[in-house]
Amino acid sequence: MADLKRDIEVVFERDPAARSVLEVLLCYPGFHAVLFHRVAHALYRRKLYVLARLLSHVSRFLTGIEIHPGAKIGKGFFIDHGSGVVIGETAEIGDNVTLYQGVTLGGTGKEKGKRHPTIGNNVVISAGAKVLGAITIGDNCKVGAGSVVLKSVPPNCTVVGVPGRVVVRDGQRVGEDPLRHDQLPDPVAEMLGHLQERIGELEGRLCRLERAFTEGARAQGYGSL
């Protein structure tokens, strides 16, 4: 009952659209998927694998969210909207983690054993992000929308891009609200900006060289070129 209460509380904490407990109970597929998973995982731990998989299959049909019953999920887990979320068998998720729609916590091949990510506490993974392989995402990290993360990330980082790159580290946050995943730096735009500045500098140097060459030619009586 305490876990159920906490699962309801996190919806109000992280979704400003939630207005009542009844609305959460009836209209939040992410909440429903977590409830289904709690039961399916208990069955999985008792080695009732077929029954656990069947329940997770029903959950996917009803919610559009696929969570393997073998995945380990901590307290305060929240899936916002949730359509297309996939969580693999050996994935491990810490406390107070938030996933948005289209997130995949997947593997990279057909290897046995640990092959899915381990997600730390207080992590936000934004819409469409893919975290693949037996890697670790440290506590208090933020993964930007559409990112593809293939390597482990230390705590207190922001990761964006394909492949994912750390752009903020050691507790330096982007904005005040950790759920504002729209306020992320764009390393590609920054690089293009640097290239544009460099091109401007080179064009200026070329113009100065052409001017000096023309003036030198005129001084020697060659006329204009």
Side-chain angles (χ1 to χ4, degrees), residues 100-103 124-130 142-149 158-162 180-185:
Y100 288 84
Q101 65 271 19
V103 168
V124 176
I125 304 181
S126 302
K130 314 300 178 187
K142 185 189 299 182
V143 179
S147 300
V148 179
V149 185
T158 297
V159 180
V160 299
V162 182
R180 288 298 303 273
H181 54 101
D182 58 316
Q183 296 181 350
L184 294 174

Side-chain angles (χ1 to χ4, degrees), residues 2 8 24 40 55 57 77 104 126 146 148 153 177 184 187-188 198 216 221 223:
I8 294 173
V24 172
L55 185 59
H57 184 70
F77 180 57
T104 298
S126 302
V148 179
V153 178
D177 188 346
L184 294 174
V188 175
R198 183 60 175 163

Side-chain angles (χ1 to χ4, degrees), residues 8-9 24 32 39 44 52 54 57 67 82 101-102 106 119 132 136 151 170 187 204:
I8 294 173
E9 288 175 349
V24 172
H32 300 152
V39 178
Y44 189 87
L54 179 61
H57 184 70
I67 307 177
Q101 65 271 19
I119 309 299
L132 306 176
T136 299
K151 296 181 180 180
D170 295 330

